[in-house]
Amino acid sequence: MKGERGSVTVEAALVIGAIVTALLLAITAVAAAADHVRCLDAAAQAARLATRGDFAQARAAAVRSAPNDATITIHTSGDTVAVTVNTNHPLFPTHVTAYAVLEPGVPP
């Protein structure tokens, strides 16, 4: 039984390391999901505002709602506006696009 001294300590250290790793992965996943939701909200809000033709206000609203490192693109094609919000997170990059139809009388 002398060869088993300290085995509980080693096992505890391994379990604690596994728990810390799982906790860090869970926190990262929650942060990535929150960024995705923020990007989705920013794209949808900007698309709704852009349907009225106020593209400057749409971009400003998207900048306020999106994560700090997000790239926002507003593009019109015919009577459709597309707002794309991208983040370059190293583990979980996000790419969200929202589409809306321009209101009648709004120039593309």
Side-chain angles (χ1 to χ4, degrees), residues 2 20 22 37 41 46 49-50 53-54 56 58 60 68 74 89 96-97 101:
K2 277 188 167 185
V20 168
V37 169
D41 288 343
L49 289 170
D54 193 357
N68 292 334
I74 300 174
H89 190 275
V96 176
T97 303
V101 177

Side-chain angles (χ1 to χ4, degrees), residues 4-101:
E4 293 183 16
R5 280 186 59 116
S7 65
V8 173
T9 305
V10 171
E11 290 170 358
L14 290 174
V15 168
I16 289 172
I19 290 172
V20 168
T21 301
L23 184 63
L24 288 175
L25 286 174
I27 290 170
T28 303
V30 168
D35 276 355
H36 183 78
V37 169
R38 288 181 65 195
C39 289
L40 186 62
D41 288 343
Q45 184 179 15
R48 283 191 301 270
L49 289 170
T51 60
R52 295 185 233 154
D54 193 357
F55 297 103
Q57 186 178 3
R59 178 174 296 285
V63 167
R64 282 191 306 270
S65 298
N68 292 334
D69 63 341
T71 304
I72 299 159
T73 306
I74 300 174
H75 177 71
T76 57
S77 176
D79 65 345
T80 304
V81 63
V83 178
T84 303
V85 180
N86 293 315
T87 61
N88 295 324
H89 190 275
L91 296 176
F92 301 104
T94 303
H95 175 82
V96 176
T97 303
Y99 297 93
V101 177

